[in-house]
Amino acid sequence: MLYLITFLDNMKGFLATAVVIASLVPNAFAHYRWTSLILNGAATPEWQYVRPPGNVYSNSPVTDVSSRDFTCNTGSKPVAGVATVSAGSTIGFKLDQAIYHAGVINVYLGKAPSGSTAATWDGSGKSWFKVAQLSAVTNGGSSITFPSDNLTQYTFRIPSSVSAGDYLARIEHIALHGASSYPGAQFYISCAQLKITGGGGGNPPTVSIPGVYTGQEPGIKINIYYPIPATYVQPGPAVWSG
């Protein structure tokens, strides 16, 4: 009888532990995700304006730069919300946890073509232009550091002369810890749905996503450990500041 009581007590402890572990599984196996917009200095609810991936509990990074998933993340789905923001204002993206891979950040805006809205456009076509980036810091080969380390959010300014209309804002953190061969770099991507008001007649040079990278760029295919890079070239076009 004593043996049975001890066994049952042990089973209770085991089951309690299993329940706790199960409750942590979604976060334990998830990489960091860009889940919220930052408007007027405050984070919006998760997935209100940001398109979620097909599985919101996981974010296996995109590594194929030619994949359709490279636009807004794997299985990304439109949401009902569209955030109204002014040209020239500062907005941002918030993460669900701090960035823990060495890497860099790019932010693109893409204008929805005629007949589409921010809530319906799939991001296809040559409509994207870069509006912000956070690169690596080098000093000739002695060290390389990444200002994006441990960030929980990233803010940027919408160019003042951008034309009014419906847009997707796309952010990517390019993790470079395993990028010495392709496809080794990991892209953590999200898109937010915007309606930009005001602005002007700016005409930025545009690219397609996918299509903006080949995967062979020196800022994507790189060994950041040895030999330490003397310089770092940020992938993608130059930032258009409007």
Side-chain angles (χ1 to χ4, degrees):
M1 179 62 70
L2 179 60
Y3 174 82
L4 179 59
I5 293 172
T6 302
F7 173 78
L8 292 175
D9 285 341
N10 288 340
M11 283 300 295
K12 288 178 183 177
F14 172 81
L15 290 173
T17 302
V19 168
V20 171
I21 292 173
S23 70
L24 297 175
V25 164
N27 288 329
F29 287 93
H31 289 91
Y32 43 90
R33 305 169 300 169
W34 305 97
T35 58
S36 306
L37 266 184
I38 298 171
L39 302 176
N40 301 313
T44 60
E46 291 187 353
W47 315 123
Q48 180 178 7
Y49 303 115
V50 177
R51 295 182 174 184
N55 180 357
V56 296
Y57 294 116
S58 178
N59 186 21
S60 296
V62 180
T63 57
D64 181 356
V65 300
S66 65
S67 166
R68 283 296 303 155
D69 290 332
F70 194 66
T71 307
C72 287
N73 206 345
T74 304
S76 175
K77 300 172 290 187
V79 293
V82 177
T84 299
V85 297
S86 301
S89 64
T90 296
I91 66 170
F93 284 85
K94 183 179 182 298
L95 292 142
D96 62 347
Q97 60 179 304
I99 291 173
Y100 55 81
H101 288 315
V104 299
I105 291 173
N106 286 322
V107 181
Y108 292 85
L109 288 178
K111 188 172 186 180
S114 176
S116 297
T117 69
T120 63
W121 182 42
D122 64 0
S124 59
K126 193 175 180 182
S127 300
W128 298 90
F129 53 98
K130 189 194 287 188
V131 295
Q133 65 182 32
L134 184 61
S135 194
V137 177
T138 58
N139 62 358
S142 297
S143 67
I144 181 169
T145 58
F146 297 92
S148 67
D149 285 356
N150 299 312
L151 286 187
T152 57
Q153 65 180 46
Y154 181 71
T155 58
F156 58 94
R157 178 178 170 274
I158 297 174
S160 296
S161 64
V162 70
S163 61
D166 278 27
Y167 285 80
L168 292 179
R170 176 187 180 276
I171 191 166
E172 63 184 15
H173 181 255
I174 311 174
L176 300 171
H177 57 291
S180 58
S181 62
Y182 177 80
Q186 299 178 349
F187 292 79
Y188 296 87
I189 304 165
S190 280
C191 290
Q193 300 174 176
L194 306 178
K195 179 179 288 294
I196 298 177
T197 60
N203 187 28
T206 55
V207 296
S208 299
I209 302 177
V212 63
Y213 311 133
T214 66
Q216 301 300 314
E217 290 82 0
I220 294 176
K221 184 180 176 182
I222 181 175
N223 186 333
I224 62 173
Y225 301 109
Y226 185 83
I228 297 172
T231 60
Y232 180 80
V233 180
Q234 186 81 0
V239 169
W240 184 74
S241 59

